[in-house]
Amino acid sequence: TDGWPWSADTHAVIIGDFNGDARQDVILQGVAGSNKTGLFLADTVRVILAGGVAPHDLEALMDTDIETHHEESAMPSAVLSKVGDAMPGLGIVAAVLGIVITMGAINGPPEEIGHKVGAALVGTFLGILVSYGFFQPLATGIENMSNNEARYIHALKAGLLAFASDAPPIVA
C-alpha cells in the first residue's frame, strides 16, 4: 500500500451522510491503541473541518490532548526508572544476606568463607549492573522517544493552528 497505512485492528471505516449532501461519505477513523500521533492529527483535522471552533479554543483543546498524551507516554519510563532505582538496594540486601550466611559458617575452612563472601559481593554487583546497565538506559531511551514524539506533536500543533487561522500556506 502506497497510501496511509491502516488495518482493521487500528482503524474503523464509518459510512454515512456526514455533510448533508444525500451521498454516502466514508471516514477512516483511528481507534485506541494505534498511532497516537496519527490520531491526534486526524482528530484535530476533523474538528477544523467540522468548523465552529475558534483557533484559540482549538489550541486549548489540542493542549489538553497533548498533555494527556505526554502523561500517558511518560508512565513506562517512570516505572522502569523506579525499578532501576530499587535494584542497587536489592543488591545490598543480597550482600547482607550473603554475609549472614557467611557468619553461619565462620568456623569453617577459609575456602568456604571466601566462597560465601564472594557470593555476597556478586549480589551487590548484580544489583548495580542491572540498575545502571539495563533499567536506567532503557528508561532513558523510552523517555527520549517520548520527548521526540512530543516535539513532533508540537510542530503538528503549530501547523494545524496556522491552517485553522487561515494563514497563507507558506506560513502554515
Side-chain angles (χ1 to χ4, degrees):
T1 60
D2 295 330
W4 186 271
W6 75 279
S7 73
D9 295 333
T10 59
H11 293 82
V13 177
I14 303 171
I15 300 173
D17 181 16
F18 301 110
N19 57 3
D21 64 357
R23 295 186 315 190
Q24 293 293 321
D25 301 314
V26 177
I27 294 178
L28 183 64
Q29 181 179 20
V31 295
S34 63
N35 179 0
K36 294 194 189 304
T37 305
L39 290 175
F40 172 78
L41 178 63
D43 289 344
T44 305
V45 168
R46 186 178 320 125
V47 169
I48 291 171
L49 294 178
V53 178
H56 66 279
D57 291 334
L58 179 65
E59 182 175 13
L61 183 67
M62 289 184 349
D63 284 340
T64 303
D65 200 10
I66 289 171
E67 183 180 331
T68 302
H69 175 266
H70 182 70
E71 288 174 3
E72 288 176 358
S73 66
M75 279 190 244
S77 65
V79 168
L80 282 174
S81 183
K82 285 183 180 183
V83 170
D85 289 344
M87 287 296 114
L90 193 61
I92 290 171
V93 169
V96 169
L97 289 175
I99 295 300
V100 168
I101 291 171
T102 303
M103 291 296 138
I106 198 73
N107 292 330
E111 297 83 22
E112 182 181 348
I113 294 173
H115 177 72
K116 292 185 183 299
V117 168
L121 292 176
V122 166
T124 304
F125 171 74
L126 284 177
I128 292 170
L129 176 68
V130 168
S131 174
Y132 298 120
F134 180 71
F135 283 110
Q136 295 296 346
L138 189 60
T140 301
I142 291 172
E143 183 179 3
N144 288 339
M145 287 174 47
S146 175
N147 290 339
N148 288 340
E149 188 175 25
R151 283 190 287 276
Y152 179 66
I153 288 176
H154 280 286
L156 280 175
K157 173 189 164 190
L160 289 167
L161 281 174
F163 174 75
S165 301
D166 293 328
I170 193 97
V171 175

